[in-house]
Structure formats: structure tokens, C-alpha cells
Amino acid sequence: MPGIRIGRRRKLRVTATRVALFASIALLFVPAAGIAGPESSRDAEATTCKLQVFSWWTGGGEAAGLAKLIKTWNANNPNCRFKNETVAGGAGSNAKAVLAQRLAAGKPPDSFQGHAGAELRDYIKAKQVLPIDFIFQRYGFRKVMPKQLISQITYQGHIYSVPVNIHRANVLWYNPKVLRKAGISAAPKTWSEFIAALDKAKEAKVIPLAMGEQWTAEHLLETVMIATIGPTRWAGLWRKGADWSNAGVTLALNRYKTLLTYTNSDAASLTWQDAGKLVVDGKAAFNIMGDWQDAYFSGTKAGGNLALKPKVDYNWAPVPGTIGVYDWLSDSFTLPKGAPHRAAAVKWLGFVGSKRAQDSFNPVKGSIPARQDANPRLYGPYLKWALQQWKTNRLAGSLAHGVVAPNAWKADVDTALGLFLQSKNVGSFQDALEAAAKKRA
């Protein structure tokens, strides 16, 4: 996922009268201490402004989806044009580094992208973002978003971002032709069926399970953990005092070790797209990846995708052991403290949570709305399936994509995983995960 240029500001010579006037206008955008909801006077739009929105959406479906939002925003807000402050590179890490510098310098954008959930806690604890419960109340978001989602994005009684989409992490992608040739009659549903299918693929001389670089290995790990211990115990592992030494975790880690024996030897040098392409090219049977894989498989070649036919050239199912569970992640937008155009930022957050915005953005992005009232006719075959699953499944938050663990904890898991991928020592890996959890006790 996807630098940002901050232009030099020309010095302005202003009279004392103008300074006083600017100061009084600025007060309209600054909330009183301890108050999350603005008064109507502070919500009034300035005559002109620029809505500064910071994200890492610079390519593919995400950039196309953002372009849709920008077009609608500018058409409806001609006096407050959208200023697109995207930063490319590093799967969002470059953008987060630039954002950290801006926030530390007291120069926030009006709103910035972040993964909904624990990833935002560093900003919350640093008092760099404001609670936006009043926006959820004003626009009725609590009524149209799942209660489980609201619960999982609430921190110490408050909500700090508006989810604009939902992705699913626990998806098993497969090539129907490869499965038929290997004698695999259907997508596996259980752990034992999965191992049997992987063995048949191996006998057929194809890669049983395609995998990419380390973050995709972490993605695989979380799906195996959820499949083994279930969403409730998975959520419990990320609370203070959790027991990472229990037998369920041990079983999950051993299963994960087993799965790694079926993966391609060059995984560390491949992107998630490379791993997916092995499947659709007939070189691999399965790939476990988020549902952005569908956008890559079925999107247009002009957009850098493969333009393949769903259910013919590729198909999907929940990761074995996770039927009825939605391992979710979400891109969301925040209200930074000191946003230069606060009223516009509040309006933006109301807009990105709206049915119109989410039904415009998500079919292009390759995700589904966080809302439960989407128009299914706007979505392709996979996303129609995902919309139905979202309404009925139990939710489990993603580790690899910022939902369950704050950044420092996730970094410790990343380090432990990197060592495990070299050693394959389950005991040492589990000890490291337990130590990382105890640091948060």
C-alpha cells in the first residue's frame, strides 16, 4: 500500500486587525477542552477551505476508489476543495512515518487514514486524535454498522474513527482446474480435509499452498490461530493477563508449522500478488489471502490486474475451520486534534460513513461497506457473497492489519515470527509470544 511535499509558506504581512480577525475565526474550529462534540457555530463552513486528507491510497483499486470519493466531495463542496495528501510506498509504512512527523510538529491534516482498531491507540494515547462519538450519533452510524464492529473499534468507551470499508482476511483462494486435476472434489472445510487436499496437490506436482513475504506469513498465522481456537479465545489473547502458553495456542502453532511445509521455497521474495498469480497460472492449488485478491484477479488489465473470470478461473471459500467467522480489517478516517479545517473534517467523516460514499467507493476498491445496508447489485460475485457473510458471521479482528494489537505489540510478534520462520522452533516461538503479551500486562 502505498511522499508528500509540504510547500513553503510565503510570509504574509497583515495588520493587527486582520490578525485578530483570523484568530477569532480559528477559534471556531478548536473544541473546548474535554468536549468531543462541536457547537453549531464551530461547525459552520468557512467561506473557502481545503480539506486535507492523508492516506496511502496511491495505486490500483484503492486509488480509483479514492478518486470516486474526491469527485463526489468536490461536486458537493465547491467552497472546500479536496487536497489529496497521499504518500506511496512500504504498504503504508512510509505514510505512517511522514504522518508521525507531521503530528509531532503540530501540523496535522484534517483527517488521516488508519486501520480501525488497536492500531489507532498510539494516536489516542498521544492525544493526537479526538473521539468522534458525536459523529456516530449525528449520522446514525450505530444503527447501520454491526454491534460487534462498534464494540471492537471502541476504546475506553469512545470511538475514534469512521470505517469506510471492510476487508476479509480468512479467505482460501483456489484454482478449480488445478483441484480437479489433483482429484480434489471440493474446497476443504476442516483441518483434516485441508491437509488431505494439500497432500493431493503435492502429488500432482503443483505448489500446494502459495505464500509471499513475511507479512503474508503473519496473515496466514492469524487465520490458523482463529481456525484452531475460535474467535472468542482469539480476542482474549489480546487482553491484559492473557495466557499465551495454553494448549490451544500450542496446537495452532504446530498446525502453522505443518502448513509451512506445503508452501513455496521462494516465498520470502514474492509479493501477495505474485503468490496469488501462482494459483491462477495453475502452478499452485491454494493461497490464503485477504479479499483484495479478488480485485487483483478480476480487475481490469488497464488497472494492473488480471481480468479473470470469478468461479471459472478462480474460486474462494472461508479458510478451513473458519466457516461462520469473518476475520476483518477496515480502513478508516480520523479527526486529528488541531485539524486546520475542523468543520470540513467533521463533514468528511459524515460523508465517508454514508451509504452513498461507501457504495461508490467499495465496488471499485474491492471491499464491502462497514454499513449493513449496501446495494448488492453494485457488487461483483465475490463481494455479493462477502456482503451476506458480513451480516451473519461472528467477527474476529485481524492481527496483521491493525485490529487487535497496538503497533509496539505487533512489532514484537513480527520479530518473533521472523525468527520462527528461520528456526521452526514452536516452543521458542510460543515463549516469545507469551513474553510479548506479558510486556502489556
Side-chain angles (χ1 to χ4, degrees), residues 95-174:
K96 292 171 187 176
V98 173
L99 177 64
Q101 293 172 357
R102 289 187 60 175
L103 295 176
K107 296 181 179 179
D110 292 311
S111 185
F112 64 84
Q113 175 191 359
H115 288 129
E119 183 180 290
L120 296 178
R121 288 181 196 168
D122 292 340
Y123 303 116
I124 297 169
K125 292 177 179 178
K127 302 187 186 306
Q128 293 172 327
V129 294
L130 299 173
I132 56 170
D133 308 83
F134 73 96
I135 292 177
F136 274 69
Q137 180 67 29
R138 180 182 299 180
Y139 294 99
F141 293 158
R142 289 180 181 273
K143 297 178 182 178
V144 294
M145 294 183 185
K147 291 181 180 179
Q148 291 181 80
L149 174 65
I150 297 296
S151 174
Q152 292 183 26
I153 65 174
T154 298
Y155 180 66
Q156 295 185 345
H158 297 289
I159 298 175
Y160 289 86
S161 68
V162 175
V164 67
N165 68 352
I166 297 293
H167 278 296
R168 186 176 192 170
N170 60 319
V171 187
L172 180 71
W173 303 95
Y174 61 93

Side-chain angles (χ1 to χ4, degrees), residues 14-321:
V14 297
T15 65
T17 301
R18 287 177 179 171
V19 170
L21 177 60
F22 293 161
S24 64
I25 292 174
L27 288 174
L28 295 176
F29 295 91
V30 180
I35 298 177
E39 296 176 2
S40 59
S41 61
R42 291 201 302 271
D43 267 0
E45 284 283 355
T47 304
T48 60
C49 73
K50 287 184 179 179
L51 174 70
Q52 303 169 14
V53 176
F54 187 96
S55 78
W56 57 81
W57 286 338
T58 61
E62 58 193 21
L66 179 58
K68 287 253 187 186
L69 295 179
I70 293 172
K71 182 177 179 181
T72 302
W73 173 269
N74 285 338
N76 293 333
N77 300 277
N79 292 327
C80 193
R81 308 290 287 179
F82 191 101
K83 186 180 180 185
N84 188 8
E85 297 186 339
T86 53
V87 176
S93 60
N94 291 353
K96 292 171 187 176
V98 173
L99 177 64
Q101 293 172 357
R102 289 187 60 175
L103 295 176
K107 296 181 179 179
D110 292 311
S111 185
F112 64 84
Q113 175 191 359
H115 288 129
E119 183 180 290
L120 296 178
R121 288 181 196 168
D122 292 340
Y123 303 116
I124 297 169
K125 292 177 179 178
K127 302 187 186 306
Q128 293 172 327
V129 294
L130 299 173
I132 56 170
D133 308 83
F134 73 96
I135 292 177
F136 274 69
Q137 180 67 29
R138 180 182 299 180
Y139 294 99
F141 293 158
R142 289 180 181 273
K143 297 178 182 178
V144 294
M145 294 183 185
K147 291 181 180 179
Q148 291 181 80
L149 174 65
I150 297 296
S151 174
Q152 292 183 26
I153 65 174
T154 298
Y155 180 66
Q156 295 185 345
H158 297 289
I159 298 175
Y160 289 86
S161 68
V162 175
V164 67
N165 68 352
I166 297 293
H167 278 296
R168 186 176 192 170
N170 60 319
V171 187
L172 180 71
W173 303 95
Y174 61 93
N175 186 321
K177 297 174 185 176
V178 169
L179 264 59
R180 284 196 294 271
K181 289 180 180 178
I184 303 169
S185 59
K189 296 179 181 180
T190 65
W191 173 255
S192 58
E193 288 179 0
F194 195 21
I195 295 301
L198 293 171
D199 284 335
K200 286 186 176 181
K202 191 173 183 178
E203 291 171 4
K205 308 298 183 185
V206 294
I207 298 166
L209 181 62
M211 191 176 77
E213 57 196 310
Q214 182 170 321
W215 76 260
T216 74
E218 184 174 77
H219 184 113
L220 176 64
L221 171 64
E222 76 177 51
T223 65
V224 175
M225 293 281 291
I226 294 168
T228 304
I229 65 175
T232 301
R233 292 171 67 192
W234 168 252
L237 289 177
W238 306 101
R239 300 191 183 107
K240 287 185 178 181
D243 178 17
W244 280 79
S245 66
N246 70 71
V249 173
T250 306
L251 175 60
L253 297 182
N254 276 299
R255 285 183 170 183
Y256 178 62
K257 179 181 178 179
T258 297
L259 281 190
L260 292 178
T261 66
Y262 292 99
T263 60
N264 41 305
S265 60
D266 62 346
S269 65
L270 301 185
T271 66
W272 64 269
Q273 294 100 322
D274 295 332
K277 197 168 187 299
L278 287 173
V279 173
V280 295
D281 284 349
K283 297 177 181 178
F286 299 103
N287 170 241
I288 291 176
M289 185 42 56
D291 55 11
W292 45 91
Q293 197 69 276
D294 175 66
Y296 175 56
F297 287 163
S298 64
T300 65
K301 289 186 176 180
N305 303 303
L306 302 180
L308 299 175
K309 201 166 184 180
K311 294 186 175 292
V312 176
D313 299 315
Y314 68 96
N315 212 333
W316 58 86
V319 168

Side-chain angles (χ1 to χ4, degrees), residues 57 64-73 76-77 82 139 141 145 162-166 333 347-371 373-375 378-379:
W57 286 338
L66 179 58
K68 287 253 187 186
L69 295 179
I70 293 172
K71 182 177 179 181
T72 302
W73 173 269
N76 293 333
N77 300 277
F82 191 101
Y139 294 99
F141 293 158
M145 294 183 185
V162 175
V164 67
N165 68 352
I166 297 293
F333 285 94
K347 191 172 183 179
W348 163 254
L349 295 175
F351 168 63
V352 297
S354 70
K355 185 175 186 295
R356 178 183 182 185
Q358 297 206 0
D359 269 348
S360 172
F361 171 81
N362 283 293
V364 181
K365 172 69 163 64
S367 48
I368 64 170
R371 303 172 61 101
D373 58 353
N375 181 355
L378 302 174
Y379 295 82

